[in-house]
Amino acid sequence: MRLSSRSFPHPVVGNVDDVPGAEFQATFDFSSDKTNFYLAATLICSSRTLQRMIKKKTACYTVHIECSNTLFRKIYDFDTETFRVPIPGTLVNDALEVNAFVRAKEPVEAYTVDGSHEDYAGVAFAIGPGDILAISDGQIFDANHEVDPLRRIGALIDIHQMENAGDHPMEAVFTEPDKIHIRLCEADFVAYREMKTVPHLTDHLTTTLVLPVLVEAIHLLGEEDLQEFKWAGLLQRRIDSLNLGTAADALRIAQALLNLPIRRALASAKTFLDRSGS
Amino acid sequence: MALDLFRHHHVRHLRTQVPANLARYTEKRPWANKSSGGGNIRLFSGLEPEVPLELLLPDGGDLKDLENTKIVHRAFPQLTPLQARDPRLWTRLTHIECWAYMRKRWDVEKKDRDEAWKCRFILARYFVPQAQSRALLRNGMARLWWYGHLTFDSSRSDPYELTAVLLSYLDIAQQVLERNMGRAPQVRTGFLDFIRENQTRLGSSAGQRRRRIRDLAKVLNLRGGVTLLDSLSLDEIQSILDAEV
């Protein structure tokens, strides 16, 4: 469900300045185990009108979850401020869009809400079941079926051999829908396959192959409209989750995403040297 | 017999080679089961069709979409949505097992268009080029399974009753399923049931009915801007539509 600032026919708590005297806030926590994803939510609504309606069960909290990748769409109703819902892993994949509301459960013939904008003074509205009474900022979560955090960048980048023979420099392809592709010529790919099985070398592969491509991808995010590419959405959301602020440059962001790969590469090289020396 | 899927690298290869392979999409026999570089392209899936995937070939204006939707849905009743969005499955079926059907139903030769259009057509109908659901609903095979999955109702005497409504005009599938609201089960069921029960009220000609159905979809979509349609009962959805006809 795409939500933007809307002009509702009635005042809605949380929608622009419809009700300056009240707030509706939602905080979510997303987790998973082998079979399910879990969405835990805390919804706080300061509107006394809505609190009364929820208590009388003429309104309720509703969380709306949608996954465009698997056509999953479902609502969950609650009359408590905190709750947790399981979402079977077989039903969702990739971006999960979550929105929280307070909605009417019963018709109200003359609805008014405490603290509404003065433009609504003296006006009452007819409300029907399902009508939105409060709205919060939505969030997007990754229903990623990769659970290993180190493999999470692997969900964005695929390394494989070039189809054309000969000796060619590494190529990065950003025009595939699901992942960024790193293409290596045959000789480099053979070397890569050997090295990735050696623990002391995997960090070096990350800095050599993945880091520069990730930096380039982050630059592209800022310059191009890449909405149709799944990797771009995933990457942007992971960057957002780092909370690095707007001043962070692409190199810093990429290092944060890869969990300081240069430091890890240097540390594993040092360990290798120490062991060789001893 | 369990199905083999294409491996990711083969799907990727076929997709990038569409312009070079354009002429092959007019061949009578499937050709995509050979690896370009000699590597393994088959991935054992354990998926076994419960009925043979013997699709009916379109016959003139009779596209056989309903019949084939039932066949594909009955073949894979246990497929999860997570599995059913996998391009490896649908690319394999469009290129190998169901090639004859695809050639007839989604014949690239049929329309006199330029090569760029033909490439786009093949990408949309023979592949799942994007992660969004719209791509699934355009793939020649995936759409059949998803139509069945989204409308099958075991509580009805004909569990595919709503599938028949959905496919009675191609426009309905587009109006309902390609809009976000169509993903809400109550909205989908309410809308299709309303069309089923009110055929005569929607107009006497196909053109009238198509326009009315589009208008109804718009009304519901607009209402969704104010009301959480997902929370409404079937009766409430139908009342909204009833007021518009």
Side-chain angles (χ1 to χ4, degrees):
Chain A
M1 177 179 275
R2 299 260 175 260
L3 292 174
S4 49
S5 296
R6 296 180 187 177
S7 289
F8 288 87
H10 54 269
V12 169
V13 174
N15 186 52
V16 206
D17 61 351
D18 284 8
V19 188
E23 285 185 0
F24 178 51
Q25 286 185 333
T27 50
F28 301 109
D29 183 45
F30 195 63
S31 58
S32 66
D33 61 22
K34 282 182 180 173
T35 51
N36 291 313
F37 292 97
Y38 298 92
L39 182 79
T42 302
L43 308 182
I44 297 171
C45 182
S46 67
S47 162
R48 286 188 185 167
T49 308
L50 297 187
Q51 285 172 357
R52 276 196 302 271
M53 288 177 74
I54 292 166
K55 202 170 178 182
K56 282 166 59 186
K57 301 199 186 298
T58 56
C60 64
Y61 297 110
T62 297
V63 169
H64 184 281
I65 303 179
E66 187 164 357
C67 174
S68 73
N69 196 242
T70 57
L71 287 94
F72 174 84
R73 175 163 159 156
K74 193 167 180 180
I75 60 163
Y76 299 85
D77 290 340
F78 302 91
D79 52 16
T80 54
E81 288 183 337
T82 58
F83 46 82
R84 183 173 187 252
V85 290
I87 306 157
T90 53
L91 298 183
V92 293
N93 182 58
D94 197 14
L96 215 57
E97 208 176 322
V98 180
N99 288 287
F101 306 90
V102 174
R103 71 164 180 96
K105 289 174 80 177
E106 308 277 343
V108 181
E109 277 186 25
Y111 174 75
T112 57
V113 56
D114 292 347
S116 63
H117 193 279
E118 59 188 20
D119 287 354
Y120 296 108
V123 186
F125 299 87
I127 296 293
D131 281 359
I132 296 167
L133 305 179
I135 192 168
S136 79
D137 290 334
Q139 262 186 270
I140 294 177
F141 296 96
D142 286 340
N144 196 328
H145 291 268
E146 302 270 8
V147 290
D148 180 347
L150 284 178
R151 291 183 69 191
R152 294 189 74 184
I153 289 301
L156 292 173
I157 296 177
D158 209 11
I159 301 173
H160 53 93
Q161 189 179 325
M162 285 174 187
E163 289 184 1
N164 46 337
D167 192 15
H168 303 283
M170 176 177 94
E171 288 175 1
V173 180
F174 300 96
T175 50
E176 293 285 334
D178 287 348
K179 293 185 179 191
I180 298 163
H181 290 267
I182 296 177
R183 294 180 182 160
L184 301 175
C185 68
E186 186 178 1
D188 289 348
F189 188 72
V190 169
Y192 158 75
R193 274 209 307 212
E194 277 178 28
M195 287 183 199
K196 76 174 185 179
T197 60
V198 182
H200 283 303
L201 298 179
T202 52
D203 291 327
H204 292 276
L205 289 174
T206 305
T207 51
T208 314
L209 302 177
V210 179
L211 182 63
V213 173
L214 201 54
V215 170
E216 181 66 18
I218 293 165
H219 279 302
L220 283 176
L221 284 182
E223 293 167 8
E224 292 184 26
D225 183 10
L226 299 165
Q227 278 182 350
E228 65 182 291
F229 300 109
K230 179 179 165 185
W231 66 261
L234 278 171
L235 180 58
Q236 187 61 60
R237 289 195 291 281
R238 284 182 195 167
I239 293 171
D240 293 344
S241 71
L242 292 172
N243 290 321
L244 291 176
T246 51
D249 60 25
L251 182 59
R252 189 177 160 212
I253 294 168
Q255 290 183 85
L257 285 166
L258 294 169
N259 194 17
L260 303 176
I262 295 170
R263 186 179 298 170
R264 285 191 291 119
L266 292 172
S268 65
K270 188 171 185 312
T271 307
F272 177 74
L273 287 174
D274 289 347
R275 286 187 188 169
S276 303
S278 63
Chain B
M1 203 170 77
L3 270 181
D4 283 336
L5 309 182
F6 280 157
R7 288 181 182 267
H8 274 307
H9 71 85
H10 192 53
V11 172
R12 199 163 51 235
H13 172 76
L14 289 174
R15 215 177 53 228
T16 56
Q17 294 301 309
V18 166
N21 286 333
L22 203 50
R24 307 188 83 172
Y25 283 88
T26 63
E27 288 180 13
K28 203 171 175 185
R29 293 179 180 281
W31 47 268
N33 52 355
K34 291 192 182 78
S35 164
S36 58
N40 186 9
I41 61 165
R42 297 156 77 115
L43 181 69
F44 177 73
S45 72
L47 276 177
E48 198 158 344
E50 294 196 9
V51 298
L53 269 175
E54 291 166 0
L55 303 191
L56 306 181
L57 298 183
D59 183 11
D62 183 2
L63 299 174
K64 308 281 187 198
D65 277 354
L66 177 60
E67 294 85 343
N68 288 329
T69 292
K70 290 179 188 175
I71 292 171
V72 176
H73 188 245
R74 283 175 180 148
F76 303 113
Q78 305 300 331
L79 207 60
T80 67
L82 183 62
Q83 292 171 318
R85 48 85 44 203
D86 196 323
R88 293 173 301 179
L89 169 63
W90 304 118
T91 310
R92 164 82 193 200
L93 292 181
T94 55
H95 284 81
I96 307 292
E97 279 80 7
C98 302
W99 175 254
Y101 163 78
M102 288 296 295
R103 280 287 293 113
K104 185 94 175 165
R105 177 67 178 87
W106 303 106
D107 182 3
V108 72
E109 286 178 300
K110 214 172 179 177
K111 292 183 179 170
D112 185 24
R113 301 286 185 100
D114 62 19
E115 287 202 354
W117 183 91
K118 287 180 177 177
C119 288
R120 285 199 301 276
F121 176 85
I122 288 169
L123 283 172
R125 299 303 183 182
Y126 288 73
F127 294 88
V128 184
Q130 284 124 22
Q132 285 87 358
S133 56
R134 202 167 44 238
L136 285 171
L137 298 172
R138 296 203 170 157
N139 175 284
M141 290 302 301
R143 64 194 278 279
L144 299 176
W145 186 87
W146 280 96
Y147 287 166
H149 174 70
L150 294 170
T151 52
F152 181 82
D153 183 351
S154 60
S155 68
R156 294 174 188 248
S157 57
D158 172 8
Y160 291 102
E161 184 175 47
L162 294 181
T163 321
V165 179
L166 182 79
L167 295 169
S168 56
Y169 299 102
L170 272 182
D171 203 35
I172 301 182
Q174 203 175 354
Q175 293 300 323
V176 179
L177 300 183
E178 292 195 13
R179 290 176 192 262
N180 276 10
M181 65 172 187
R183 295 176 195 154
Q186 293 289 86
V187 177
R188 201 164 57 230
T189 304
F191 190 85
L192 294 175
D193 249 342
F194 182 82
I195 291 173
R196 184 180 63 81
E197 290 164 4
N198 294 277
Q199 290 280 352
T200 51
R201 291 173 67 198
L202 295 176
S204 52
S205 71
Q208 267 181 339
R209 282 197 287 270
R210 189 175 297 119
R211 274 194 300 279
R212 280 276 168 82
I213 289 167
R214 280 184 191 175
D215 289 345
L216 289 174
K218 272 187 204 163
V219 163
L220 215 47
N221 207 30
L222 279 173
R223 182 66 179 265
V226 178
T227 305
L228 278 172
L229 296 176
D230 312 56
S231 69
L232 301 184
S233 66
L234 288 177
D235 285 346
E236 286 165 335
I237 298 275
Q238 298 206 353
S239 297
I240 295 170
L241 298 172
D242 197 53
E244 289 302 316
V245 176

